Amino acid sequence: MRKPIIAGNWKMYKTTAEARALVQGLKEKALPAGVEVVLCPPFTALTTVAELAKGTEIGLGAQNLFWAEEGAYTGEISPVMLKELGCTYVIIGHSERRQYFGETDDNVNKKAQAALEHGLKPIICVGESLEQREAGETASFVSGQVKKALEGLAPESIPQVVIAYEPIWAIGTGRSSSSADANQVIALIRQTIAKQFSSDLADQVRIQYGGSVKPENITEYMAQPEIDGALVGGASLKADAFFGILSY
Ligand code: PGA
């Protein structure tokens, strides 16, 4: 009953010219119907991707936002601005933002709240470090991140939320989590949401796996009952590889 969602997180890759070429490459292929496809280019390429994606099934997402509608916040982008460009999704709390840009659980919560208030669906990223995994802290750390990210959100907005479980040690490393391990953590995330809100709401939340997803391993993730899609970095930067993932 949950429609799978596969999103390409382009990170800080692709000029507008490169973005155009990538989207055109994807448009030449027949995208599968059973999966929601979302592209998350850098802010500078949102307009280009929006224009090219118009009339297709390709959805648009940003990689970050600031929670205020407008104001003296040099360098920031508001939810209103993203909506105007045609975004329906926004990635929030990616581990690279937590690591390099000081993003905290509190920021993530404020951003999720702001996104939902403006009709943007947040893709909230959570995931443990290698140290935490080895110390057996994955469950407590990840469920803590989820709880704090969703704190105070209106229950009726919860079905709009997407969670991306991305173990930090698997991002961009070629070292992906086993599908069974990912399924187990994702099941725990769903239980956390069930406790915080209700099991009916938790059952509606789509939870993706992310971290070195490629055409060669997507099938095993999608075969897992709790995994509702993928957040894809490196392999979303080439039309052939991303299409290979979409047609898992
Ligand atoms: P990766 O990145 O697919 O390159 O590992 C995933 C992500 O950071 O979202």
Side-chain angles (χ1 to χ4, degrees):
M1 88 190 181
R2 295 185 296 265
K3 186 173 186 181
I5 173 169
I6 298 183
N9 171 15
W10 293 4
K11 310 193 179 185
M12 200 177 72
Y13 291 98
K14 306 290 177 190
T15 62
T16 53
E18 290 164 347
R20 184 176 297 278
L22 176 49
V23 181
Q24 267 157 356
L26 280 173
K27 281 173 71 175
E28 284 162 14
K29 305 173 188 293
L31 298 182
V35 53
E36 193 172 346
V37 181
V38 180
L39 300 180
C40 303
F43 290 128
T44 45
L46 283 171
T47 303
T48 302
V49 175
E51 279 164 10
L52 289 167
K54 211 176 249 167
T56 74
E57 291 297 309
I58 299 172
L60 186 66
Q63 297 174 20
N64 184 27
L65 89 178
F66 187 63
W67 54 79
E69 283 182 12
E70 60 177 9
Y73 301 106
T74 302
E76 294 297 318
I77 306 282
S78 86
V80 179
M81 295 166 181
L82 296 180
K83 277 296 278 188
E84 185 194 37
L85 296 187
C87 289
T88 47
Y89 286 91
V90 57
I91 298 172
I92 293 177
H94 190 280
S95 64
E96 285 150 15
R97 295 216 54 85
R98 295 180 192 254
Q99 185 181 351
Y100 304 123
F101 304 100
E103 196 110 296
T104 63
D105 286 327
D106 181 56
N107 291 171
V108 170
N109 178 247
K110 285 197 176 96
K111 289 180 177 192
Q113 185 108 38
L116 289 164
E117 276 166 12
H118 289 88
L120 288 164
K121 300 177 190 181
I123 301 176
I124 300 171
C125 302
V126 296
E128 81 287 359
S129 67
L130 190 56
E131 252 178 8
Q132 289 166 322
R133 167 151 294 245
E134 284 169 352
E137 293 165 5
T138 300
S140 60
F141 182 72
V142 171
S143 61
Q145 281 185 316
V146 170
K147 260 188 244 161
K148 287 179 218 150
L150 304 183
E151 207 168 84
L153 297 188
E156 59 273 19
S157 67
I158 293 301
Q160 307 300 315
V161 171
V162 176
I163 308 269
Y165 167 57
E166 300 202 302
I168 296 171
W169 47 272
I171 295 177
T173 57
R175 182 181 164 194
S176 50
S177 167
S178 80
S179 57
D181 282 353
N183 190 66
Q184 198 178 16
V185 180
I186 287 177
L188 169 94
I189 292 173
R190 204 176 299 289
Q191 284 159 22
T192 304
I193 303 171
K195 271 191 220 140
Q196 199 174 358
F197 293 90
S198 71
S199 48
D200 175 48
L201 288 172
D203 283 343
Q204 297 177 60
V205 174
R206 290 173 300 170
I207 310 179
Q208 302 169 309
Y209 167 74
S212 300
V213 171
K214 23 182 203 246
E216 296 76 32
N217 61 19
I218 184 70
T219 315
E220 44 171 311
Y221 292 113
M222 297 309 286
Q224 294 286 347
E226 295 290 341
I227 302 183
D228 303 316
L231 184 56
V232 186
S236 72
L237 298 175
K238 291 207 171 98
D240 283 348
F242 194 52
F243 180 68
I245 290 172
L246 296 176
S247 30
Y248 61 89

